[in-house]
Amino acid sequence: MVGASHPVPVAPASPVVPSPRRPIGNGGSARERTRWWYESALGWPTAPGDPVRLRTGVRFDVLDVPAGAGYATLERLDRRERLDRTDRTDRPVCAGPAGRAGGDSPAPGFPVAVRGGRMLLLVAAGAAEELPGLLEWLEWGSLALGLTALGAGGTVDAPLAPPGPAGLPPRPPERDGLHGAAVWLRPPEPGYEVESSLPALSVPGRTGTALDLARLVHTLATQCHRFRLTASGPPRARPVARVG
């Protein structure tokens, strides 16, 4: 029919699909790879901005000590664990739970990082709040030890993610800027709950093999005090943390 209007065909609108998230590949920056590893592989919250910083008081708190005192502490704890392990092999199974002498000699396998002249030891969330009272109880409260803690509401520089775990690609070394960066001495393991390995205060009914926080703090305080007394002496050679 002349003059009749006919509908004009309209092409269907293309659905709005968000662009796929760019996978973390060899071309990603060190910051992108580091943030991806903490948030996706470990499930640890990070603070916005650059450099990447981890939020403390959520999954863990941090004890910050002079690196020399920290290395001495780890050496003593590891040596004590080896002695305890040897002692357990010489005792009957009934000596303690799971064959442990007294059931209170766990392996000190919690995550530890180093940054410059400082060592960062991960401990159970809430430990930072307990530290002042614990030092007083251990009779270290009146001395300046250089031992500090980061807890709820704090942040700490994220150590560079180690290569390989959870599909993380190798890092181009020329882009990482290792000078002055925090690196893992004993990195956390993706796929495992970090809380089970973190030093915490012993309480009735507590289970697990984490190191007792009081024992760790006492050893740290002792080594921090010795470190301050001998700081003017020649530096002792220490192992270099490896990140790749």
Side-chain angles (χ1 to χ4, degrees):
M1 182 174 184
V2 179
S5 60
H6 298 280
V8 178
V10 178
S14 300
V16 178
V17 179
S19 301
R21 183 177 179 181
R22 183 171 64 84
I24 300 298
N26 287 339
S29 67
R31 177 182 59 81
E32 290 172 329
R33 288 191 304 277
T34 297
R35 191 179 298 279
W36 177 88
W37 190 70
Y38 285 110
E39 293 184 347
S40 300
L42 293 178
W44 292 4
T46 65
D50 190 14
V52 180
R53 296 184 65 81
L54 304 174
R55 297 185 183 275
T56 56
V58 181
R59 299 288 300 276
F60 54 83
D61 286 355
V62 171
L63 298 183
D64 185 335
V65 302
Y71 278 115
T73 294
L74 296 182
E75 290 170 3
R76 287 180 175 273
L77 293 176
D78 290 340
R79 184 164 59 250
R80 172 66 182 272
E81 171 58 21
R82 288 194 298 269
L83 292 173
D84 287 344
R85 191 182 301 117
T86 300
D87 182 60
R88 291 196 296 268
T89 61
D90 296 334
R91 289 173 175 264
V93 175
C94 61
R100 291 186 289 124
D104 59 355
S105 300
F110 54 96
V112 177
V114 290
R115 183 179 187 275
R118 306 290 296 182
M119 181 176 286
L120 310 175
L121 302 98
L122 271 61
V123 293
E129 185 178 353
E130 300 286 348
L131 182 62
L134 193 54
L135 288 172
E136 288 289 343
W137 180 66
L138 294 169
E139 300 183 349
W140 286 107
S142 61
L143 297 176
L145 300 171
L147 167 59
T148 60
L150 292 168
T155 61
V156 63
D157 285 353
L160 295 173
L168 192 71
R171 302 188 309 269
E174 72 279 1
R175 301 175 64 180
D176 277 347
L178 289 177
H179 180 68
V183 294
W184 285 111
L185 181 65
R186 295 198 310 216
E189 297 184 49
Y192 295 89
E193 287 295 325
V194 68
E195 286 86 350
S196 63
S197 70
L198 299 181
L201 286 177
S202 295
V203 296
R206 176 187 167 207
T207 60
T209 58
L211 183 68
D212 182 69
L213 181 65
R215 176 181 168 188
L216 173 62
V217 170
H218 178 65
T219 308
L220 281 172
T222 301
Q223 298 308 317
C224 284
H225 183 56
R226 290 177 177 174
F227 180 79
R228 288 176 62 86
L229 293 177
T230 60
S232 58
R236 179 183 175 187
R238 293 292 182 182
V240 177
R242 299 180 63 86
V243 296

